[in-house]
Amino acid sequence: LHTNDAPSAVTRLIDMGVEPFLVASSVVFICAQRLMKRVCASCREKIDIPKETLDKLGYKEKGRVLAGDKVPEGGKVTFYRGKGCAKCNNSGYYGRFAILENFIIDDRIKEMILDRAHSDKIKEYAVKEKGMLTLRAAALENLALGNTTVEEVLRVTAEE
């Protein structure tokens, strides 16, 4: 299915004519995925990102712990960008990796499906009550871990 996030797949299935009771009783897990470009390890350089930019992205550091509770090695957050080199064909990126949004359907979500709740309400519940890591949060974790760039976070998670 083509959706912007995992909870929207529920709405998409219903819009396609699948009865809500069938979705609620048969779907147990939905995963959304995106591929992100990896910063080239051969030419990456440290950069500073203005706090205002990080705030606009929704990046929130709790001490040194990120939203998904992953701490970069050594506890220090360092941001990078690729300068461009022969290995990465002067792009600053070399390779890709997946970010995932894992949506587990519990009894409360089944009730919400049967009540035809909007996908935003379902997503809000999944994040707040079940700890679902959104695609944006997964992208920001990888930014903090030095795997990607702000530009790539924006490109891949522009809808959020």
Side-chain angles (χ1 to χ4, degrees):
L1 296 173
H2 293 281
T3 62
N4 291 331
D5 58 19
S8 295
V10 169
T11 307
R12 182 66 49 88
L13 287 169
I14 293 169
D15 289 346
M16 291 170 53
V18 180
E19 291 292 334
F21 77 91
L22 288 173
V23 175
S25 66
S26 61
V27 179
V28 295
F29 177 82
I30 299 170
C31 180
Q33 65 180 7
R34 299 271 168 73
L35 287 177
M36 294 189 75
K37 295 177 187 173
R38 184 180 301 279
V39 174
C40 178
S42 297
C43 66
R44 76 179 189 172
E45 62 183 3
K46 294 179 183 180
I47 60 166
D48 290 323
I49 300 174
K51 184 178 180 341
E52 301 79 34
T53 302
L54 293 172
D55 288 344
K56 285 179 186 174
L57 285 170
Y59 179 90
K60 291 182 178 47
E61 227 181 307
K62 297 180 253 170
R64 294 182 191 257
V65 180
L66 300 174
D69 295 331
K70 290 197 177 179
V71 180
E73 193 172 315
K76 186 168 188 224
V77 176
T78 305
F79 301 105
Y80 296 96
R81 74 164 177 213
K83 291 186 291 188
C85 65
K87 181 176 180 180
C88 65
N89 201 23
N90 290 314
S91 70
Y93 298 100
Y94 189 79
R96 292 182 187 257
F97 61 94
I99 57 170
L100 305 172
E101 181 177 277
N102 298 314
F103 177 58
I104 299 170
I105 299 185
D106 66 5
D107 289 339
R108 176 66 187 121
I109 292 173
K110 287 179 184 182
E111 290 174 18
M112 295 171 86
I113 293 168
L114 292 171
D115 293 339
R116 295 182 183 255
H118 193 276
S119 63
D120 289 342
K121 289 281 187 197
I122 297 172
K123 182 176 184 174
E124 181 181 324
Y125 168 81
V127 170
K128 287 184 180 175
E129 302 299 325
K130 303 304 286 178
M132 182 182 80
L133 193 65
T134 64
L135 288 170
R136 172 61 65 94
L140 290 172
E141 277 190 355
N142 279 282
L143 174 68
L145 292 169
N147 295 331
T148 196
T149 63
V150 169
E151 294 80 14
E152 190 64 0
V153 169
L154 288 169
R155 183 186 72 80
V156 171
T157 65
E159 306 87 34
E160 293 189 34

mmCIF file of all heavy atoms in Angstrom, residues 34-38 93 95-99 135 138-140 142-143 147-157:
data_model
loop_
_atom_site.group_PDB
_atom_site.id
_atom_site.type_symbol
_atom_site.label_atom_id
_atom_site.label_comp_id
_atom_site.label_asym_id
_atom_site.label_seq_id
_atom_site.Cartn_x
_atom_site.Cartn_y
_atom_site.Cartn_z
ATOM 1 N N ARG A 34 11.241 3.558 4.731
ATOM 2 C CA ARG A 34 11.835 4.491 3.773
ATOM 3 C C ARG A 34 13.333 4.218 3.727
ATOM 4 O O ARG A 34 13.927 3.809 4.717
ATOM 5 C CB ARG A 34 11.642 5.951 4.215
ATOM 6 C CG ARG A 34 10.202 6.387 4.343
ATOM 7 C CD ARG A 34 9.668 6.925 3.018
ATOM 8 N NE ARG A 34 8.236 7.084 3.031
ATOM 9 C CZ ARG A 34 7.555 8.024 3.669
ATOM 10 N NH1 ARG A 34 8.180 8.909 4.395
ATOM 11 N NH2 ARG A 34 6.248 8.080 3.579
ATOM 12 N N LEU A 35 13.920 4.466 2.576
ATOM 13 C CA LEU A 35 15.369 4.362 2.448
ATOM 14 C C LEU A 35 15.987 5.742 2.568
ATOM 15 O O LEU A 35 15.498 6.704 1.971
ATOM 16 C CB LEU A 35 15.754 3.747 1.102
ATOM 17 C CG LEU A 35 15.513 2.264 0.941
ATOM 18 C CD1 LEU A 35 15.872 1.817 -0.473
ATOM 19 C CD2 LEU A 35 16.309 1.469 1.963
ATOM 20 N N MET A 36 17.050 5.832 3.346
ATOM 21 C CA MET A 36 17.775 7.091 3.510
ATOM 22 C C MET A 36 19.202 6.916 2.990
ATOM 23 O O MET A 36 19.780 5.836 3.104
ATOM 24 C CB MET A 36 17.826 7.496 4.987
ATOM 25 C CG MET A 36 16.471 7.834 5.568
ATOM 26 S SD MET A 36 16.590 8.564 7.220
ATOM 27 C CE MET A 36 17.165 10.202 6.795
ATOM 28 N N LYS A 37 19.745 7.990 2.461
ATOM 29 C CA LYS A 37 21.138 7.973 2.012
ATOM 30 C C LYS A 37 22.058 8.058 3.234
ATOM 31 O O LYS A 37 21.794 8.803 4.166
ATOM 32 C CB LYS A 37 21.414 9.165 1.096
ATOM 33 C CG LYS A 37 20.653 9.128 -0.194
ATOM 34 C CD LYS A 37 20.945 10.388 -0.988
ATOM 35 C CE LYS A 37 20.077 10.484 -2.225
ATOM 36 N NZ LYS A 37 20.264 11.789 -2.894
ATOM 37 N N ARG A 38 23.129 7.273 3.190
ATOM 38 C CA ARG A 38 24.116 7.256 4.267
ATOM 39 C C ARG A 38 25.254 8.230 3.930
ATOM 40 O O ARG A 38 25.735 8.257 2.789
ATOM 41 C CB ARG A 38 24.677 5.845 4.433
ATOM 42 C CG ARG A 38 25.639 5.682 5.595
ATOM 43 C CD ARG A 38 26.160 4.260 5.706
ATOM 44 N NE ARG A 38 25.113 3.281 5.879
ATOM 45 C CZ ARG A 38 24.511 3.001 7.036
ATOM 46 N NH1 ARG A 38 24.845 3.657 8.117
ATOM 47 N NH2 ARG A 38 23.580 2.068 7.097
ATOM 48 N N TYR A 93 27.326 11.102 -0.210
ATOM 49 C CA TYR A 93 26.594 9.939 0.310
ATOM 50 C C TYR A 93 27.148 8.671 -0.312
ATOM 51 O O TYR A 93 27.545 8.653 -1.476
ATOM 52 C CB TYR A 93 25.104 10.025 -0.034
ATOM 53 C CG TYR A 93 24.398 11.212 0.556
ATOM 54 C CD1 TYR A 93 24.137 12.345 -0.214
ATOM 55 C CD2 TYR A 93 23.972 11.202 1.875
ATOM 56 C CE1 TYR A 93 23.470 13.436 0.325
ATOM 57 C CE2 TYR A 93 23.312 12.289 2.424
ATOM 58 C CZ TYR A 93 23.060 13.406 1.646
ATOM 59 O OH TYR A 93 22.401 14.478 2.174
ATOM 60 N N GLY A 95 25.837 4.642 -0.105
ATOM 61 C CA GLY A 95 24.974 3.592 0.418
ATOM 62 C C GLY A 95 23.677 4.139 0.981
ATOM 63 O O GLY A 95 23.460 5.355 1.039
ATOM 64 N N ARG A 96 22.816 3.218 1.385
ATOM 65 C CA ARG A 96 21.510 3.569 1.953
ATOM 66 C C ARG A 96 21.211 2.643 3.122
ATOM 67 O O ARG A 96 21.810 1.591 3.258
ATOM 68 C CB ARG A 96 20.414 3.436 0.905
ATOM 69 C CG ARG A 96 20.527 4.466 -0.203
ATOM 70 C CD ARG A 96 19.393 4.341 -1.186
ATOM 71 N NE ARG A 96 19.598 5.215 -2.316
ATOM 72 C CZ ARG A 96 18.974 6.366 -2.498
ATOM 73 N NH1 ARG A 96 18.083 6.774 -1.632
ATOM 74 N NH2 ARG A 96 19.225 7.123 -3.546
ATOM 75 N N PHE A 97 20.256 3.044 3.933
ATOM 76 C CA PHE A 97 19.777 2.218 5.034
ATOM 77 C C PHE A 97 18.289 2.489 5.204
ATOM 78 O O PHE A 97 17.772 3.503 4.740
ATOM 79 C CB PHE A 97 20.542 2.502 6.334
ATOM 80 C CG PHE A 97 20.406 3.915 6.813
ATOM 81 C CD1 PHE A 97 19.419 4.259 7.735
ATOM 82 C CD2 PHE A 97 21.262 4.912 6.365
ATOM 83 C CE1 PHE A 97 19.285 5.563 8.181
ATOM 84 C CE2 PHE A 97 21.137 6.220 6.807
ATOM 85 C CZ PHE A 97 20.140 6.546 7.713
ATOM 86 N N ALA A 98 17.602 1.567 5.853
ATOM 87 C CA ALA A 98 16.153 1.693 6.034
ATOM 88 C C ALA A 98 15.826 2.288 7.395
ATOM 89 O O ALA A 98 16.483 2.003 8.389
ATOM 90 C CB ALA A 98 15.493 0.324 5.906
ATOM 91 N N ILE A 99 14.781 3.134 7.402
ATOM 92 C CA ILE A 99 14.161 3.530 8.659
ATOM 93 C C ILE A 99 12.769 2.906 8.659
ATOM 94 O O ILE A 99 12.153 2.750 7.606
ATOM 95 C CB ILE A 99 14.093 5.061 8.847
ATOM 96 C CG1 ILE A 99 13.351 5.743 7.696
ATOM 97 C CG2 ILE A 99 15.489 5.634 9.043
ATOM 98 C CD1 ILE A 99 13.052 7.205 7.928
ATOM 99 N N LEU A 135 8.467 7.554 11.520
ATOM 100 C CA LEU A 135 9.541 7.636 10.530
ATOM 101 C C LEU A 135 10.433 8.840 10.804
ATOM 102 O O LEU A 135 11.657 8.747 10.703
ATOM 103 C CB LEU A 135 8.956 7.710 9.118
ATOM 104 C CG LEU A 135 8.329 6.429 8.590
ATOM 105 C CD1 LEU A 135 7.570 6.694 7.298
ATOM 106 C CD2 LEU A 135 9.380 5.351 8.383
ATOM 107 N N ALA A 138 12.699 8.083 13.738
ATOM 108 C CA ALA A 138 13.749 7.145 13.313
ATOM 109 C C ALA A 138 14.808 7.866 12.481
ATOM 110 O O ALA A 138 16.009 7.614 12.629
ATOM 111 C CB ALA A 138 13.138 5.988 12.529
ATOM 112 N N ALA A 139 14.372 8.781 11.626
ATOM 113 C CA ALA A 139 15.316 9.558 10.812
ATOM 114 C C ALA A 139 16.173 10.455 11.698
ATOM 115 O O ALA A 139 17.393 10.574 11.498
ATOM 116 C CB ALA A 139 14.562 10.381 9.777
ATOM 117 N N LEU A 140 15.553 11.083 12.701
ATOM 118 C CA LEU A 140 16.300 11.957 13.607
ATOM 119 C C LEU A 140 17.298 11.177 14.459
ATOM 120 O O LEU A 140 18.386 11.674 14.752
ATOM 121 C CB LEU A 140 15.335 12.742 14.498
ATOM 122 C CG LEU A 140 14.530 13.820 13.771
ATOM 123 C CD1 LEU A 140 13.463 14.405 14.697
ATOM 124 C CD2 LEU A 140 15.425 14.912 13.215
ATOM 125 N N ASN A 142 18.902 8.582 13.422
ATOM 126 C CA ASN A 142 20.024 8.327 12.522
ATOM 127 C C ASN A 142 20.819 9.583 12.235
ATOM 128 O O ASN A 142 22.028 9.507 12.011
ATOM 129 C CB ASN A 142 19.533 7.654 11.242
ATOM 130 C CG ASN A 142 19.339 6.176 11.452
ATOM 131 O OD1 ASN A 142 20.311 5.423 11.458
ATOM 132 N ND2 ASN A 142 18.108 5.757 11.674
ATOM 133 N N LEU A 143 20.181 10.735 12.268
ATOM 134 C CA LEU A 143 20.909 12.005 12.170
ATOM 135 C C LEU A 143 21.843 12.153 13.364
ATOM 136 O O LEU A 143 23.029 12.451 13.207
ATOM 137 C CB LEU A 143 19.915 13.173 12.111
ATOM 138 C CG LEU A 143 20.523 14.574 12.152
ATOM 139 C CD1 LEU A 143 21.315 14.857 10.881
ATOM 140 C CD2 LEU A 143 19.431 15.611 12.346
ATOM 141 N N ASN A 147 24.600 8.983 10.860
ATOM 142 C CA ASN A 147 24.400 8.172 9.659
ATOM 143 C C ASN A 147 23.903 8.955 8.458
ATOM 144 O O ASN A 147 24.031 8.487 7.329
ATOM 145 C CB ASN A 147 23.398 7.049 9.946
ATOM 146 C CG ASN A 147 23.917 6.070 10.965
ATOM 147 O OD1 ASN A 147 25.109 5.868 11.083
ATOM 148 N ND2 ASN A 147 23.013 5.470 11.718
ATOM 149 N N THR A 148 23.292 10.117 8.685
ATOM 150 C CA THR A 148 22.685 10.859 7.582
ATOM 151 C C THR A 148 22.740 12.354 7.870
ATOM 152 O O THR A 148 23.342 12.786 8.847
ATOM 153 C CB THR A 148 21.238 10.358 7.333
ATOM 154 O OG1 THR A 148 20.815 10.816 6.050
ATOM 155 C CG2 THR A 148 20.279 10.789 8.417
ATOM 156 N N THR A 149 22.098 13.141 7.003
ATOM 157 C CA THR A 149 22.149 14.599 7.096
ATOM 158 C C THR A 149 20.761 15.193 7.316
ATOM 159 O O THR A 149 19.749 14.529 7.087
ATOM 160 C CB THR A 149 22.714 15.193 5.788
ATOM 161 O OG1 THR A 149 21.819 14.865 4.721
ATOM 162 C CG2 THR A 149 24.107 14.670 5.485
ATOM 163 N N VAL A 150 20.725 16.452 7.712
ATOM 164 C CA VAL A 150 19.457 17.168 7.881
ATOM 165 C C VAL A 150 18.697 17.193 6.557
ATOM 166 O O VAL A 150 17.476 16.977 6.528
ATOM 167 C CB VAL A 150 19.689 18.609 8.376
ATOM 168 C CG1 VAL A 150 18.417 19.426 8.296
ATOM 169 C CG2 VAL A 150 20.223 18.609 9.786
ATOM 170 N N GLU A 151 19.395 17.433 5.474
ATOM 171 C CA GLU A 151 18.757 17.491 4.157
ATOM 172 C C GLU A 151 18.053 16.169 3.838
ATOM 173 O O GLU A 151 16.953 16.161 3.292
ATOM 174 C CB GLU A 151 19.786 17.822 3.069
ATOM 175 C CG GLU A 151 20.389 19.200 3.170
ATOM 176 C CD GLU A 151 21.498 19.320 4.212
ATOM 177 O OE1 GLU A 151 22.003 18.290 4.706
ATOM 178 O OE2 GLU A 151 21.848 20.459 4.559
ATOM 179 N N GLU A 152 18.683 15.077 4.204
ATOM 180 C CA GLU A 152 18.109 13.759 3.931
ATOM 181 C C GLU A 152 16.904 13.494 4.837
ATOM 182 O O GLU A 152 15.913 12.926 4.399
ATOM 183 C CB GLU A 152 19.186 12.679 4.102
ATOM 184 C CG GLU A 152 18.786 11.327 3.619
ATOM 185 C CD GLU A 152 18.509 11.213 2.130
ATOM 186 O OE1 GLU A 152 18.610 12.198 1.373
ATOM 187 O OE2 GLU A 152 18.137 10.108 1.704
ATOM 188 N N VAL A 153 16.969 13.940 6.079
ATOM 189 C CA VAL A 153 15.819 13.815 6.987
ATOM 190 C C VAL A 153 14.626 14.551 6.390
ATOM 191 O O VAL A 153 13.512 14.029 6.343
ATOM 192 C CB VAL A 153 16.149 14.348 8.395
ATOM 193 C CG1 VAL A 153 14.888 14.463 9.246
ATOM 194 C CG2 VAL A 153 17.182 13.467 9.089
ATOM 195 N N LEU A 154 14.849 15.769 5.903
ATOM 196 C CA LEU A 154 13.770 16.550 5.303
ATOM 197 C C LEU A 154 13.238 15.903 4.034
ATOM 198 O O LEU A 154 12.036 15.866 3.797
ATOM 199 C CB LEU A 154 14.253 17.964 5.012
ATOM 200 C CG LEU A 154 14.456 18.849 6.228
ATOM 201 C CD1 LEU A 154 15.184 20.125 5.841
ATOM 202 C CD2 LEU A 154 13.136 19.143 6.905
ATOM 203 N N ARG A 155 14.123 15.391 3.208
ATOM 204 C CA ARG A 155 13.692 14.784 1.945
ATOM 205 C C ARG A 155 12.825 13.537 2.190
ATOM 206 O O ARG A 155 11.785 13.377 1.574
ATOM 207 C CB ARG A 155 14.919 14.388 1.112
ATOM 208 C CG ARG A 155 14.561 13.808 -0.252
ATOM 209 C CD ARG A 155 15.786 13.287 -0.990
ATOM 210 N NE ARG A 155 16.305 12.057 -0.423
ATOM 211 C CZ ARG A 155 15.784 10.852 -0.657
ATOM 212 N NH1 ARG A 155 14.740 10.698 -1.436
ATOM 213 N NH2 ARG A 155 16.319 9.774 -0.113
ATOM 214 N N VAL A 156 13.254 12.710 3.115
ATOM 215 C CA VAL A 156 12.595 11.424 3.329
ATOM 216 C C VAL A 156 11.321 11.548 4.168
ATOM 217 O O VAL A 156 10.392 10.782 3.992
ATOM 218 C CB VAL A 156 13.597 10.431 3.959
ATOM 219 C CG1 VAL A 156 12.922 9.170 4.412
ATOM 220 C CG2 VAL A 156 14.688 10.103 2.961
ATOM 221 N N THR A 157 11.274 12.525 5.065
ATOM 222 C CA THR A 157 10.127 12.629 5.977
ATOM 223 C C THR A 157 9.407 13.961 5.822
ATOM 224 O O THR A 157 8.848 14.491 6.780
ATOM 225 C CB THR A 157 10.572 12.441 7.447
ATOM 226 O OG1 THR A 157 11.435 13.508 7.811
ATOM 227 C CG2 THR A 157 11.246 11.112 7.659
#
